[in-house]
Amino acid sequence: MNTHSAVGVVENEGKKEYYANDMLEIRRDNMTVDRVTDSNGYVVDYSGLDVILREMLMDRLAVDPKDHPVILTEPSLHNKEHRLKITAFLFEKYQVPALYISKSSVLSAFSCSRSTALVLESGANSTYAVPVHDGYALQTSMLKFDIGGNYLTDVVAKTLAAKNIKIIPRYAFRKKMADGQPVIVENPSPLTTPSFEDFATREIIRDIKESLLSLTVEAAMEVTDAKPTHYDLPDGTRVDLEADAKKIPELMFTAVPDVGGFVGIQKMASESIARADLDIRKDLYNNIVVSGGNTLVAGFVERVQKLVPEVTLPNVRVKVVAHMPTERRFSAWIGGSILSSLGSFQQMWMSKQEFEEHGAIMIERKCA
């Protein structure tokens, strides 16, 4: 099942119909694609979130939220207002019996059996360097920059445009036989909204990015050793990114002019650790956890392992740990499952009774 942080909305005679996850990928007349979260990962559309949760929990998993406590992840940068809203939403709308909210970076550290670590977390919109000490994210030491998978997707899109390669969404054409050969013909869809066209096009570009981009351990290798890399578009056009397939992900390790202050994820790691207390810096360098979907680029972890020591003192031991790619995008989920299985964790839940007695603010006391 594909999951998206967006929903499709079709408004008809004042009533709205919502479509989430796999159903979002099917073109419908006049369907707009609305974001459920903002660029920081905070919920902005609770109606859309309701649709996504009901489709996943009730329709797919066939579970009743009233019968199951919920662990929720949140972005590492603390946002009290968002935390209170999501707490009230889950207790009031879903009647969950108990709730716990944890920073995604903390759970990623737990997933690698670390309670103290520097977590390098790069997702769709942002990249974080988060020192975690004894299971707590150190807010004053973390760094965040607005560069991630979507930024690289934009660069891939510009690269394709520069090569005069047009991405035709799957719904916009059909194939027919002519003289025994398949021929692509336009499939007019005048009621397709710009937001859905953009969504469908970017999904293809995102797949190109995830299929072709890779890194070499040595940055100097990519120009001389870059091999042609190919991707067949839905309409049969073959895309060849050539050396760009290795140049584009290099942006995560260099200064990027339009991302103010960003000079590479390896320097984020070093600066974030330098902001932490002196007595835990050694442990942080020795436990660098890499997580997030944007780190699934082949060679990413190996490049972090090579470059971080180059921006630290020569006698500092650096060790980078990460799950295999098939598990790394789910690091926070794995960490949450480990945390919830601990016997000592059961007293950490915020119960529905506590919500009814003290309100959503109680989550600030229960979940540091």
Side-chain angles (χ1 to χ4, degrees), residues 28-73:
R28 293 174 174 83
D29 289 348
N30 299 314
M31 184 176 77
T32 60
V33 177
D34 296 346
R35 301 292 304 178
V36 172
T37 59
D38 62 16
S39 59
N40 294 311
Y42 301 117
V43 178
V44 293
D45 180 0
Y46 280 87
S47 295
L49 176 63
D50 184 34
V51 173
I52 292 174
L53 291 180
R54 289 184 181 277
E55 201 270 345
M56 288 195 299
L57 297 177
M58 300 175 186
D59 297 343
R60 298 295 182 110
L61 297 178
V63 298
D64 188 342
K66 295 180 181 179
D67 300 330
H68 299 274
V70 172
I71 291 184
L72 184 70
T73 66

Side-chain angles (χ1 to χ4, degrees), residues 187-226:
N187 185 30
S189 305
L191 297 181
T192 301
T193 63
S195 62
F196 183 80
E197 180 179 4
D198 180 68
F199 167 79
T201 301
R202 284 186 65 84
E203 281 297 287
I204 297 173
I205 298 173
R206 180 180 61 82
D207 193 48
I208 294 172
K209 176 195 71 175
E210 294 177 357
S211 301
L212 301 185
L213 299 195
S214 65
L215 287 157
T216 55
V217 176
E218 297 286 346
M221 291 170 58
E222 65 261 354
V223 175
T224 57
D225 294 354

Side-chain angles (χ1 to χ4, degrees), residues 6-264:
V7 292
V9 183
V10 177
E11 190 167 355
N12 186 16
E13 296 181 354
K15 294 183 179 181
K16 291 184 178 181
E17 294 181 1
Y18 290 88
Y19 301 91
N21 302 321
D22 291 340
M23 300 302 292
L24 173 60
E25 299 176 8
I26 301 173
R27 194 207 73 84
R28 293 174 174 83
D29 289 348
N30 299 314
M31 184 176 77
T32 60
V33 177
D34 296 346
R35 301 292 304 178
V36 172
T37 59
D38 62 16
S39 59
N40 294 311
Y42 301 117
V43 178
V44 293
D45 180 0
Y46 280 87
S47 295
L49 176 63
D50 184 34
V51 173
I52 292 174
L53 291 180
R54 289 184 181 277
E55 201 270 345
M56 288 195 299
L57 297 177
M58 300 175 186
D59 297 343
R60 298 295 182 110
L61 297 178
V63 298
D64 188 342
K66 295 180 181 179
D67 300 330
H68 299 274
V70 172
I71 291 184
L72 184 70
T73 66
E74 66 180 358
S76 296
L77 195 62
H78 191 68
N79 186 315
K80 179 180 177 180
E81 180 183 1
H82 171 263
R83 180 180 270 200
L84 298 185
K85 284 184 178 180
I86 197 71
T87 297
F89 174 79
L90 290 172
F91 277 120
E92 294 173 354
K93 186 77 174 181
Y94 283 84
Q95 299 292 305
V96 297
L99 174 66
Y100 188 82
I101 301 178
S102 180
K103 306 296 184 190
S104 58
S105 55
V106 172
L107 295 182
S108 293
F110 287 165
S111 76
C112 293
S113 302
R114 267 76 173 173
S115 60
T116 295
L118 177 80
V119 179
L120 291 178
E121 188 176 40
S122 187
N125 295 300
S126 304
T127 296
Y128 288 85
V130 186
V132 175
H133 181 55
D134 289 340
Y136 294 94
L138 306 182
Q139 294 287 314
T140 58
S141 302
M142 74 173 61
L143 292 173
K144 169 185 174 289
F145 288 98
D146 294 330
I147 184 171
N150 286 341
Y151 185 91
L152 298 188
T153 300
D154 290 339
V155 177
V156 172
K158 293 175 183 177
T159 301
L160 295 174
K163 295 175 180 289
N164 295 316
I165 297 173
K166 183 179 180 181
I167 305 297
I168 303 176
R170 290 175 174 85
Y171 68 83
F173 68 89
R174 56 188 175 86
K175 295 181 180 180
K176 72 174 186 178
M177 299 300 295
D179 298 327
Q181 297 294 325
V183 177
I184 301 297
V185 296
E186 184 180 358
N187 185 30
S189 305
L191 297 181
T192 301
T193 63
S195 62
F196 183 80
E197 180 179 4
D198 180 68
F199 167 79
T201 301
R202 284 186 65 84
E203 281 297 287
I204 297 173
I205 298 173
R206 180 180 61 82
D207 193 48
I208 294 172
K209 176 195 71 175
E210 294 177 357
S211 301
L212 301 185
L213 299 195
S214 65
L215 287 157
T216 55
V217 176
E218 297 286 346
M221 291 170 58
E222 65 261 354
V223 175
T224 57
D225 294 354
K227 298 179 180 180
T229 49
H230 308 289
Y231 182 95
D232 291 326
L233 295 174
D235 65 355
T237 303
R238 170 160 286 192
V239 171
D240 188 348
L241 287 183
E242 300 177 321
D244 290 318
K246 295 186 182 296
K247 288 181 179 179
I248 292 172
E250 285 294 329
L251 293 171
M252 296 302 302
F253 298 92
T254 58
V256 180
D258 55 344
V259 182
F262 182 78
V263 290

Side-chain angles (χ1 to χ4, degrees), residues 257-310:
D258 55 344
V259 182
F262 182 78
V263 290
I265 196 170
Q266 73 277 17
K267 293 185 179 179
M268 282 183 67
S270 179
E271 183 178 345
S272 180
I273 292 175
R275 294 184 176 194
D277 290 342
L278 182 62
D279 55 352
I280 67 169
R281 291 178 189 173
K282 180 179 178 180
D283 289 336
L284 295 178
Y285 272 119
N286 201 31
N287 296 278
I288 297 179
V289 173
V290 176
S291 68
N294 192 43
T295 70
L296 299 180
V297 174
F300 193 100
V301 175
E302 292 79 4
R303 180 63 71 83
V304 172
Q305 178 66 72
K306 180 183 184 300
L307 292 185
V308 172
E310 295 180 3

